[in-house]
Amino acid sequence: MSNHDQKRLLLIGGGSGIGHAIARAALERGDQPIIGARDPERTAAALPAALHDVPLVHADLADEDSVAALAQEGPFDAVVSLAAASANGPIATLDRAAVHAAFDAKVAGPMLLAKHLAGSMRPGGVFVFFSGVAAWKPAPGLSAMATVNGAVAFMAEALAVELAPVRAVAVSPGIVDSGLWDFMGDDGKRDFFAATAAANPARRVGAPADIAGAVLFAVDNTFVTGTTLQVDGGGRLA
Ligand SMILES: NC(=O)c1ccc[n+]([C@@H]2O[C@H](COP(=O)([O-])OP(=O)(O)OC[C@H]3O[C@@H](n4cnc5c(N)ncnc54)[C@H](OP(=O)(O)O)[C@@H]3O)[C@@H](O)[C@H]2O)c1
């Protein structure tokens, strides 16, 4: 691949789980990933060996100054926002601050990325926002995240129109073994994944590489904009 074809991908919240898989897939095909993290030093220390040469920049989607400063790292072919903050639990115990943090990470923060980085996008460039299957598969205790993830899908449609010809795409993962579920412990995770796989039409949980492939598809296919790529094993239908 010539330098001209090399794509620059800014991965906000890319210092863990699915972000690692996107960075690895980008490097493997000769692209240049850059990871944006709230704590670049801590994130660098946790990078797998294959990603040791990936540049890290400070990025906190709850801090507009840090978002604005990212323009110095451009131009970009893709700005991918993986950031998430959890606000799970029954409505009766809802924590207002947690709901705000969840919207900051997945909705307000990504809108600030659009505000400050749309002018740094190369022709054909794309913003990729992370939604999630909870939006299409609501369940008790997941109402806040279902709503946040649903907002991400509509944000991709709205920004595709407003930022055109810069593109905007949402990716909605199903349950993915990215490390996110490790808090359940080995037994809890095994049971959760077995139940998820049994219910999913794909009959398995996702791998981070499944999601990385969808992100690179969104980066490459310049006729894809204003839509949500459902990479959930059909879990929203289960
Ligand atoms: N894994 C799944 O099963 C699944 C299912 C549905 C949707 N998703 C979505 O897929 C995306 C990636 O998930 P994952 O499994 O890779 O989870 P993850 O490892 O928790 O990744 C989330 C990343 O976001 C970063 N982050 C959080 N708040 C931020 C902020 N304000 N500014 C910048 N970065 C911030 C975190 O970094 P810190 O180290 O700074 O905390 C972390 O690196 C998320 O949006 C998630 O909701 C995942």
Side-chain angles (χ1 to χ4, degrees), residues 85-120:
S86 148
N88 292 330
I91 283 293
T93 64
L94 197 68
D95 173 357
R96 187 173 186 276
V99 174
H100 276 257
F103 269 97
D104 269 349
K106 283 206 160 191
V107 181
M111 289 185 101
L112 293 176
L113 287 172
K115 172 182 174 183
H116 291 286
L117 302 184
S120 302

Coordinates of all heavy atoms in Angstrom, one line a residue, residues 85-120:
A85 N -19.9 5.0 29.1 CA -20.0 5.0 30.6 C -21.3 4.3 30.9 O -22.3 4.6 30.3 CB -19.9 6.4 31.1
S86 N -21.3 3.4 31.9 CA -22.4 2.6 32.1 C -23.4 3.3 33.1 O -23.0 4.0 34.0 CB -22.0 1.3 32.7 OG -22.9 0.8 33.6
A87 N -24.7 3.1 32.8 CA -25.7 3.7 33.7 C -26.8 2.6 33.8 O -28.0 2.9 33.5 CB -26.3 5.0 33.1
N88 N -26.4 1.4 34.2 CA -27.4 0.3 34.3 C -28.0 0.3 35.7 O -27.5 0.9 36.7 CB -26.6 -1.0 34.1 CG -26.2 -1.1 32.6 OD1 -26.8 -0.6 31.7 ND2 -25.1 -1.8 32.4
G89 N -29.1 -0.4 35.7 CA -29.9 -0.5 37.0 C -31.3 -0.2 36.9 O -31.7 0.5 35.9
P90 N -32.2 -0.7 37.8 CA -33.6 -0.4 37.7 C -33.9 1.1 37.8 O -33.1 1.8 38.4 CB -34.2 -1.1 38.9 CG -33.1 -2.0 39.4 CD -31.8 -1.5 38.9
I91 N -34.9 1.5 37.1 CA -35.3 2.9 37.1 C -35.4 3.5 38.5 O -35.1 4.6 38.8 CB -36.6 3.1 36.3 CG1 -36.2 3.1 34.8 CG2 -37.2 4.5 36.6 CD1 -35.4 4.2 34.3
A92 N -35.9 2.6 39.4 CA -36.2 3.0 40.8 C -34.9 3.5 41.5 O -34.9 4.2 42.5 CB -36.8 1.9 41.6
T93 N -33.7 3.0 41.0 CA -32.5 3.4 41.6 C -31.6 4.2 40.7 O -30.4 4.4 41.0 CB -31.6 2.1 41.9 OG1 -31.3 1.4 40.7 CG2 -32.4 1.1 42.8
L94 N -32.2 4.8 39.7 CA -31.5 5.6 38.7 C -30.6 6.7 39.3 O -31.1 7.4 40.1 CB -32.4 6.2 37.7 CG -31.8 6.6 36.4 CD1 -31.4 5.4 35.6 CD2 -32.9 7.3 35.6
D95 N -29.4 6.8 38.9 CA -28.5 7.8 39.3 C -28.3 8.9 38.2 O -27.8 8.6 37.2 CB -27.1 7.1 39.6 CG -26.0 8.1 40.0 OD1 -26.3 9.3 40.0 OD2 -24.9 7.7 40.3
R96 N -28.8 10.1 38.5 CA -28.9 11.1 37.5 C -27.5 11.4 36.9 O -27.3 11.6 35.7 CB -29.5 12.4 38.1 CG -29.7 13.5 37.1 CD -30.5 14.6 37.8 NE -30.9 15.7 36.9 CZ -30.1 16.7 36.5 NH1 -28.8 16.7 36.9 NH2 -30.5 17.6 35.6
A97 N -26.5 11.4 37.8 CA -25.1 11.7 37.3 C -24.6 10.6 36.4 O -23.9 10.9 35.4 CB -24.2 11.8 38.5
A98 N -25.0 9.4 36.7 CA -24.6 8.3 35.8 C -25.2 8.4 34.4 O -24.6 8.1 33.4 CB -24.9 6.9 36.4
V99 N -26.5 8.8 34.4 CA -27.2 9.0 33.1 C -26.5 10.1 32.3 O -26.2 10.0 31.1 CB -28.7 9.3 33.3 CG1 -29.3 9.6 32.0 CG2 -29.3 8.2 34.0
H100 N -26.1 11.2 33.0 CA -25.4 12.3 32.3 C -24.1 11.8 31.7 O -23.7 12.2 30.6 CB -25.2 13.5 33.2 CG -26.4 14.4 33.3 ND1 -26.5 15.6 32.7 CD2 -27.6 14.2 33.9 CE1 -27.7 16.1 32.9 NE2 -28.4 15.3 33.6
A101 N -23.4 11.1 32.5 CA -22.0 10.6 32.1 C -22.2 9.7 30.9 O -21.4 9.7 29.9 CB -21.3 9.8 33.2
A102 N -23.3 8.8 30.9 CA -23.5 7.9 29.8 C -23.8 8.7 28.5 O -23.3 8.4 27.4 CB -24.6 7.0 30.1
F103 N -24.6 9.8 28.6 CA -24.9 10.6 27.5 C -23.7 11.4 27.0 O -23.4 11.6 25.8 CB -26.1 11.6 27.7 CG -27.4 11.0 27.4 CD1 -28.2 10.4 28.3 CD2 -27.8 11.0 26.0 CE1 -29.4 9.8 27.9 CE2 -29.1 10.5 25.7 CZ -29.9 9.9 26.6
D104 N -22.9 11.8 28.0 CA -21.6 12.5 27.6 C -20.7 11.6 26.8 O -20.2 12.1 25.7 CB -20.9 13.0 28.9 CG -21.2 14.4 29.3 OD1 -21.9 15.1 28.6 OD2 -20.8 14.7 30.4
A105 N -20.6 10.4 27.2 CA -19.6 9.5 26.6 C -20.1 9.1 25.2 O -19.3 9.0 24.2 CB -19.4 8.3 27.4
K106 N -21.4 8.9 25.0 CA -21.8 8.3 23.7 C -22.6 9.3 22.8 O -22.7 9.0 21.6 CB -22.8 7.1 24.0 CG -22.0 5.8 24.4 CD -22.9 4.6 24.1 CE -22.0 3.4 24.1 NZ -22.6 2.2 23.5
V107 N -23.1 10.4 23.4 CA -23.9 11.3 22.5 C -23.3 12.7 22.5 O -22.8 13.1 21.5 CB -25.3 11.3 23.0 CG1 -26.2 12.2 22.1 CG2 -25.9 9.9 23.0
A108 N -23.2 13.4 23.7 CA -22.7 14.7 23.7 C -21.3 14.8 23.3 O -20.9 15.7 22.4 CB -22.9 15.4 25.0
G109 N -20.4 13.9 23.8 CA -19.0 13.9 23.4 C -18.8 13.6 22.0 O -18.1 14.4 21.3
P110 N -19.4 12.6 21.4 CA -19.3 12.4 19.9 C -19.8 13.6 19.1 O -19.2 13.9 18.0 CB -20.1 11.1 19.7 CG -19.9 10.4 21.0 CD -20.0 11.4 22.0
M111 N -20.8 14.3 19.6 CA -21.3 15.5 18.9 C -20.2 16.6 18.9 O -20.0 17.3 17.9 CB -22.6 16.0 19.4 CG -23.8 15.1 19.1 SD -25.3 15.7 19.6 CE -25.9 16.3 18.0
L112 N -19.5 16.6 20.0 CA -18.4 17.6 20.1 C -17.2 17.2 19.1 O -16.5 18.0 18.5 CB -17.8 17.7 21.5 CG -18.8 18.3 22.5 CD1 -18.2 18.2 23.9 CD2 -19.1 19.7 22.2
L113 N -17.0 15.9 19.0 CA -16.1 15.4 18.0 C -16.5 15.9 16.6 O -15.6 16.4 15.8 CB -16.0 13.9 17.9 CG -15.3 13.2 19.1 CD1 -15.5 11.7 19.0 CD2 -13.8 13.5 19.2
A114 N -17.8 15.8 16.3 CA -18.2 16.3 15.0 C -18.0 17.8 14.9 O -17.6 18.3 13.8 CB -19.7 16.0 14.8
K115 N -18.3 18.5 16.0 CA -18.2 20.0 16.0 C -16.7 20.4 15.7 O -16.5 21.3 14.9 CB -18.6 20.5 17.3 CG -18.3 22.0 17.6 CD -18.7 22.4 19.0 CE -18.3 23.9 19.3 NZ -18.7 24.2 20.7
H116 N -15.8 19.7 16.3 CA -14.4 20.2 16.3 C -13.5 19.5 15.2 O -12.5 20.1 14.8 CB -13.7 20.0 17.6 CG -14.2 21.0 18.7 ND1 -14.0 22.3 18.7 CD2 -15.1 20.7 19.7 CE1 -14.6 22.9 19.7 NE2 -15.3 21.9 20.3
L117 N -14.0 18.3 14.7 CA -13.1 17.6 13.8 C -13.7 17.4 12.4 O -13.0 16.9 11.5 CB -12.8 16.2 14.4 CG -12.1 16.2 15.8 CD1 -11.8 14.8 16.2 CD2 -10.9 17.1 15.8
A118 N -14.9 17.9 12.2 CA -15.5 17.7 10.8 C -14.6 18.4 9.8 O -14.4 17.9 8.7 CB -16.9 18.3 10.8
G119 N -14.0 19.5 10.2 CA -13.1 20.3 9.3 C -11.7 19.6 9.1 O -10.9 20.0 8.2
S120 N -11.5 18.5 9.8 CA -10.2 17.8 9.7 C -10.3 16.5 9.0 O -9.4 15.7 9.0 CB -9.7 17.5 11.1 OG -9.5 18.7 11.9

